[in-house]
Amino acid sequence: MEKTRVAIVGMGTVGTGVAKLLLDHGDRTARHAGRVLWLEKAVVADLSKPRTIDLPAGVLTDRVEDVIENPEIKVVAQLIGGLEPARTITLKLLEAGKDIVTANKALLAEHGPELFDKARSLGRSIAFEAAVAGGIPIIANISQCFSANQVQSLLGILNGTSNFILSQMDESGADYETALQKAQQLGYAEADPTMDVDGSDAAQKLAILAHLSFGSWINWREIPKVGINTFHATDMQYAKQLGYRIKLVASATLINDQLELVVAPTLVKKGRPLAEVRGAYNAITVVGDAVGDIFFHGQGAGQMPTASAVVADMIDTAVGRTDITFRRLELWSQRDSGIALRATSLLSSRYYMRFCASDKPGVLAEITGILGRNQISIASVIQHEPTTVESALGTAANQVPIVIMTHQAPEGAAQKAVEQIQQLETVHGPSIRMRVLEK
Ligand code: HSE
């Protein structure tokens, strides 16, 4: 059988999973590719580091030149995280005539135009299914299966680490730090987990999906984002009482030829599919004008789900499918759709708000008065007599949390109202405001 020689650059969690699939299931890969994907080299930074996989003699190397200078190697899974040296190595591999498969969404979100231009000018391709939502084949679906549609909106849970942490806190009452450590041990988190929990990772993925779906070039840093490290665990309990779960939701909506993009912790109604996404799972609802809405659900992080997407891309590249799609899509080319980002102040949502207020006459009236003057209508209010929930929030003896659910309101008005409420002498400590997803 014909052989396509391949290499892996970066043998971390995902690289090791890719090597396992290529070596332990070569027959399966050969059946799908009609050729053997032969692992010629696996490049690591440190040869002495203990590994969980035994590679055939001569495969492991700490010299990326062993790949660059070997013209027999055609396809390279470039799995180094971060921006440098990942960018420089990717450019060198392209210049050496290799087709690239990558899981590095930060690299694409930051240097997509440069890398894709370089690949196009050299007649090479870059495949990146694993860069968004791990094992869910969202890139192939949006770029191929939805091509008869104008995508109208995307709504997703795109960061497995955040979802794992939120699920642990919700299901077992784990504290934030313990849940984060567990996510790191299980290989879900980025090398710097700040990117996971502050919403950056989800914003990078959303920028890639928005580019594929709407043709717009949006710098991921311009996407309004809030992470899961902003609210207190007791907000989860209030959300539960109200019939919601808190999820880190990334959304893209086309409104009058402008794109509304947001990443933020959001209350999602229990029973709605997105609310029931647990652990490191990701989910995405895509709405197309012809197809209607489609829901994708699967493991968004972790070794084998991500390796599954990488190896599928390696097969597609080896058989020539990637090349056809890559040339047709003209990703990050000069062909920008001109769809601009919609101003944050124009966003509109229902809101969950929590204030810590003095427990004395007239305070609730002051708060609701400010909301009313900002044209924000209240849907419900919770103020319990001080209990364990209140003491968990650390409120002083004469203070109570007040939780307000609003009807639909403009973001600008909601932000202004919360700022004004915070300035009241009777309101203490930071206030919380989260979007609410109703349907
Ligand atoms: N750290 C990412 C996540 C996995 O937790 O979703 C890779 O994208």
Side-chain angles (χ1 to χ4, degrees), residues 48 127 219:
S48 64
N219 182 333

Side-chain angles (χ1 to χ4, degrees), residues 103 105 130-131 133-134 158-162 188-190 196 201 205 282 300-302 306:
K105 92 251 41 172
L158 298 179
N159 183 263
T161 301
S162 297
Y188 301 147
E190 299 299 300
D196 291 298
D201 179 84
K205 291 168 179 167
N282 281 189
T306 314

Side-chain angles (χ1 to χ4, degrees), residues 35-368:
R35 69 197 68 211
V36 173
L37 261 59
W38 183 264
L39 182 58
E40 188 75 17
K41 290 287 170 198
V43 184
V44 295
D46 179 2
L47 282 173
S48 64
K49 197 170 160 185
R51 316 239 152 233
T52 54
I53 184 170
D54 287 327
L55 295 169
V59 169
L60 207 60
T61 173
D62 58 359
R63 296 182 69 251
V64 73
E65 293 76 17
D66 288 351
V67 176
I68 292 171
E69 291 163 8
N70 183 341
E72 297 295 312
I73 296 174
K74 302 294 183 197
V75 182
V76 179
Q78 198 297 94
L79 299 172
I80 302 175
L83 299 181
E84 283 296 353
R87 172 185 156 273
T88 304
I89 289 176
T90 304
L91 289 169
K92 282 188 181 162
L93 289 165
L94 287 168
E95 279 158 7
K98 320 296 181 197
D99 288 315
I100 302 294
V101 173
T102 186
N104 188 333
K105 92 251 41 172
L107 184 66
L108 299 183
E110 203 71 53
H111 296 298
E114 179 189 22
L115 296 174
F116 282 69
D117 269 352
K118 175 65 92 179
R120 268 189 295 271
S121 70
L122 294 166
R124 303 271 54 94
S125 63
I126 300 175
F128 54 98
E129 184 62 72
V132 180
I136 301 177
I138 191 66
I139 302 293
N141 271 279
I142 291 183
S143 49
Q144 294 166 45
C145 311
F146 277 68
S147 46
N149 290 261
Q150 168 60 59
V151 174
Q152 294 175 317
S153 65
L154 300 162
L155 192 64
I157 291 175
L158 298 179
N159 183 263
T161 301
S162 297
N163 204 56
F164 179 83
I165 293 171
L166 294 176
S167 301
Q168 291 275 306
M169 289 169 72
D170 190 30
E171 287 161 16
S172 62
D175 64 50
Y176 176 84
E177 286 304 331
T178 311
L180 172 58
Q181 275 169 20
K182 202 164 166 194
Q184 287 177 291
Q185 283 159 12
L186 291 168
Y188 301 147
E190 299 299 300
D192 175 4
T194 316
M195 302 287 279
D196 291 298
V197 297
D198 76 358
S200 299
D201 179 84
Q204 289 172 340
K205 291 168 179 167
L206 187 63
I208 293 172
L209 291 183
H211 181 63
L212 277 175
S213 308
F214 307 101
S216 51
W217 281 23
I218 306 286
N219 182 333
W220 69 271
R221 288 190 178 79
E222 288 172 27
I223 298 177
K225 70 174 170 62
V226 182
I228 61 160
N229 44 359
T230 50
F231 60 90
H232 197 280
T234 48
D235 288 306
M236 288 184 120
Q237 296 182 30
Y238 280 119
K240 249 187 203 173
Q241 283 177 32
L242 291 159
Y244 295 84
R245 292 191 211 286
I246 299 175
K247 296 285 174 191
L248 185 67
V249 174
S251 67
T253 316
L254 193 59
I255 302 173
N256 300 332
D257 289 336
Q258 289 194 322
L259 199 52
E260 180 180 293
L261 299 178
V262 191
V263 175
T266 304
L267 275 73
V268 186
K269 193 100 183 142
K270 275 189 212 164
R272 197 190 150 138
L274 220 49
E276 307 312 323
V277 177
R278 317 302 280 172
Y281 277 72
N282 281 189
I284 307 155
T285 297
V286 183
V287 181
D289 59 357
V291 73
D293 61 310
I294 294 194
F295 184 68
F296 297 88
H297 179 253
Q299 293 184 66
Q303 185 174 66
M304 298 318 289
T306 314
S308 154
V310 171
V311 173
D313 269 351
M314 293 174 89
I315 293 173
D316 277 0
T317 304
V319 303
R321 272 195 296 267
T322 303
D323 181 51
I324 296 169
T325 318
F326 186 76
R327 275 189 281 123
R328 183 184 60 74
L329 285 176
E330 297 180 35
L331 293 173
W332 283 284
S333 66
Q334 294 311 312
R335 206 169 52 100
D336 180 26
S337 66
I339 294 177
L341 198 56
R342 201 158 179 264
T344 315
S345 57
L346 296 176
L347 302 180
S348 166
S349 173
R350 291 192 62 200
Y351 292 96
Y352 163 100
M353 298 175 176
R354 176 170 58 74
F355 308 101
C356 176
S358 299
D359 192 9
K360 61 183 196 186
V363 174
L364 191 56
E366 280 185 311
I367 293 174
T368 55

Side-chain angles (χ1 to χ4, degrees), residues 354-423:
R354 176 170 58 74
F355 308 101
C356 176
S358 299
D359 192 9
K360 61 183 196 186
V363 174
L364 191 56
E366 280 185 311
I367 293 174
T368 55
I370 290 176
L371 290 171
R373 283 193 291 284
N374 283 284
Q375 302 301 315
I376 297 171
S377 174
I378 295 167
S380 68
V381 179
I382 301 178
Q383 184 195 322
H384 293 308
E385 291 196 22
T387 60
T388 45
V389 172
E390 283 67 36
S391 49
L393 284 168
T395 46
N398 59 345
Q399 295 173 9
V400 283
I402 295 176
V403 171
I404 295 179
M405 291 285 276
T406 76
H407 288 297
Q408 196 83 13
E411 168 80 16
Q415 189 182 345
K416 193 168 148 207
V418 170
E419 279 166 12
Q420 290 172 352
I421 291 169
Q422 287 238 135
Q423 281 165 16

